[in-house]
Amino acid sequence: MSDYLLGLNYGHDATVVLMKDGEIVEAMMEERVTRVKKYIGFPHEALAYLKKKYNIDNFKYVFTDGMDLGVHIINTKQDVIDYRNRPSQNKWFMRAVIAWIPFSDTLYKIKGIFNAWRISLKGTVKMTKDFLEREFPGAEIVNTPHHLSHSWASIPFIDDLSKKRLILILDGEGDTFCGSINIFENGDIKVLHQFPRENSLGLLYASFVDLLGMSRNEHEFKVMGLAPYAKASSGEKVYEKLKEILWFDEETMQLVSKIDMRRATPYLIANDFHQHRFDSLAYGIQKLTEEIIKDLARASIKKYNCADVVIGGGVFMNVKANQYLSEMPEVKSLTVTPSCGDESIAIG
């Protein structure tokens, strides 16, 4: 059935989306079939389910997320997993020592260059490409940049496609970026600005999840829910320290950070953030998130003269920040992409 198109996310929150004649037929996360929460890998079972249900043998087009060096087929099961091994909770404190070393940021960047070279040497990008070609023989495989996928994923939920829209994307990271500012107009999306992942608000928030002893990419909602329980006087102390680390620059239209956010957890430990109460930590990072989102929206609306805002990416799973965004007088309308983490980029 060549008139079926497939959208595919084979990273964390692996998902397949089946489309026909421009309409979404069905979306299925791998975790729904395997019962493995937050499944990371290729959605074998979800794909098999949709093929069987709709009697599909092949696809004309298969759209996948961008080829970030972090995600590859590297194990014997020909699955796709996260190549960047995240240290376990007890190792974060050991790695905190690195944050005290002079020029540690430079050393970290050099290490990243060698890691990228090692990945390239193993040929894992080619392995991913070869695997997809075997999985979908005869199909044209189209790789869409990660944040552009997030942007397009919002389009089916816009009520009036004839109107100009400002699309704001924020997440942890993908294809070396952590967000973007875009304009949707005349049926197309124009990317105006992209934010390097080193300045990621999402990664900083995840580091507070680490600091509080929970699991990143899963328990961020608990931090958001914990924030209101702190005393403002103590929570503000954390916020004041944080806004010196990460902020939005209206002149450059960029997120700017003091450190590389990929190593924010050991930095926070090395700089005694763990000495603050747990609820004060939650207050501080939650307020920083709300303020940066408001600054980003306010500056973007002013610069591009568009008050109809659309949001996507994992950071905007933060419903409290979204509430404050919707209440801003500058915002005329707000469209929130449903479940706007990586599970929905298969739509884009």
Side-chain angles (χ1 to χ4, degrees):
M1 299 290 292
S2 59
D3 54 349
Y4 281 107
L5 307 180
L6 187 74
L8 179 66
N9 168 33
Y10 52 76
H12 65 81
D13 300 302
T15 310
V16 291
V17 171
L18 186 65
M19 301 188 72
K20 183 178 181 181
D21 300 328
E23 298 291 332
I24 298 173
V25 176
E26 189 165 350
M28 177 66 66
M29 291 185 70
E30 185 74 358
E31 69 173 35
R32 293 291 301 276
V33 187
T34 63
R35 315 308 295 174
V36 178
K37 189 69 175 173
K38 307 294 290 184
Y39 183 92
I40 301 175
F42 189 86
H44 294 288
E45 299 298 327
L47 177 60
Y49 168 83
L50 292 180
K51 279 186 172 182
K52 181 178 180 180
K53 180 175 180 178
Y54 295 98
N55 191 28
I56 302 171
D57 294 324
N58 53 65
F59 299 93
K60 185 176 181 180
Y61 295 100
V62 176
F63 295 86
T64 74
D65 188 23
M67 288 286 196
D68 189 342
L69 286 177
V71 182
H72 302 284
I73 299 161
I74 60 170
N75 66 11
T76 56
K77 295 181 180 179
Q78 291 185 324
D79 213 351
V80 179
I81 66 174
D82 192 348
Y83 191 88
R84 292 181 297 269
N85 293 319
R86 301 294 186 186
S88 60
Q89 181 64 30
N90 60 343
K91 290 182 179 179
W92 282 121
F93 288 89
M94 296 172 60
R95 294 193 174 197
V97 176
I98 300 173
W100 277 294
I101 300 176
F103 311 113
S104 57
D105 274 335
T106 302
L107 295 174
Y108 188 83
K109 290 176 182 177
I110 293 173
K111 178 185 175 183
I113 292 171
F114 276 99
N115 281 342
W117 175 79
R118 180 166 57 92
I119 293 169
S120 177
L121 189 65
K122 286 176 175 289
T124 46
V125 172
K126 184 178 185 301
M127 291 172 65
T128 303
K129 183 176 182 293
D130 291 345
F131 170 77
L132 292 174
E133 289 176 351
R134 290 195 303 270
E135 189 74 20
F136 305 104
E140 182 176 343
I141 298 172
V142 181
N143 299 314
T144 307
H146 184 84
H147 294 93
L148 189 58
S149 295
H150 272 306
S151 296
W152 278 111
S154 67
I155 303 305
F157 308 102
I158 296 176
D159 55 0
D160 184 357
L161 296 179
S162 66
K163 295 175 64 176
K164 179 181 176 181
R165 305 282 176 158
L166 175 68
I167 303 178
L168 305 178
I169 305 297
L170 285 175
D171 63 4
E173 63 174 305
D175 289 341
T176 74
F177 297 104
C178 67
S180 62
I181 302 173
N182 316 266
I183 288 291
F184 173 76
E185 191 173 20
N186 299 323
D188 198 11
I189 293 175
K190 181 180 181 181
V191 181
L192 304 172
H193 304 276
Q194 295 190 94
F195 313 138
R197 63 185 175 186
E198 292 83 359
N199 305 329
S200 173
L201 174 60
L203 291 182
L204 180 59
Y205 205 108
S207 293
F208 274 81
V209 178
D210 297 333
L211 204 60
L212 291 167
M214 294 181 277
S215 299
R216 62 166 57 199
N217 291 330
E218 186 171 358
H219 293 148
E220 281 79 358
F221 76 97
K222 294 183 179 180
V223 178
M224 178 189 69
L226 177 62
Y229 289 92
K231 291 182 178 179
S233 57
S234 56
E236 286 292 331
K237 293 178 181 177
V238 178
Y239 169 67
E240 289 297 323
K241 292 170 67 175
L242 283 177
K243 71 179 187 179
E244 300 298 321
I245 298 174
L246 180 67
W247 62 93
F248 182 76
D249 188 330
E250 185 176 344
E251 294 297 320
T252 62
M253 299 298 289
Q254 284 289 325
L255 288 172
V256 182
S257 64
K258 181 180 177 181
I259 63 169
D260 187 328
M261 288 303 166
R262 290 174 293 174
R263 55 186 294 271
T265 300
Y267 174 87
L268 295 174
I269 297 170
N271 287 273
D272 295 328
F273 275 82
H274 61 287
Q275 299 295 336
H276 293 276
R277 273 178 55 101
F278 58 94
D279 50 354
S280 299
L281 293 172
Y283 178 106
I285 187 59
Q286 178 63 25
K287 181 169 181 180
L288 181 77
T289 300
E290 293 164 1
E291 295 303 317
I292 286 180
I293 285 176
K294 288 189 286 186
D295 290 344
L296 167 63
R298 189 178 296 111
S300 300
I301 290 169
K302 179 181 178 181
K303 185 175 181 66
Y304 297 106
N305 192 29
C306 182
D308 293 299
V309 181
V310 181
I311 54 177
V315 169
F316 287 112
M317 295 289 278
N318 193 307
V319 295
K320 195 65 178 178
N322 294 351
Q323 177 188 347
Y324 288 130
L325 180 58
S326 69
E327 294 171 348
M328 290 177 60
E330 296 91 345
V331 176
K332 182 179 179 181
S333 69
L334 181 67
T335 301
V336 183
T337 308
S339 198
C340 55
D342 281 5
E343 61 275 10
S344 61
I345 61 175
I347 297 173

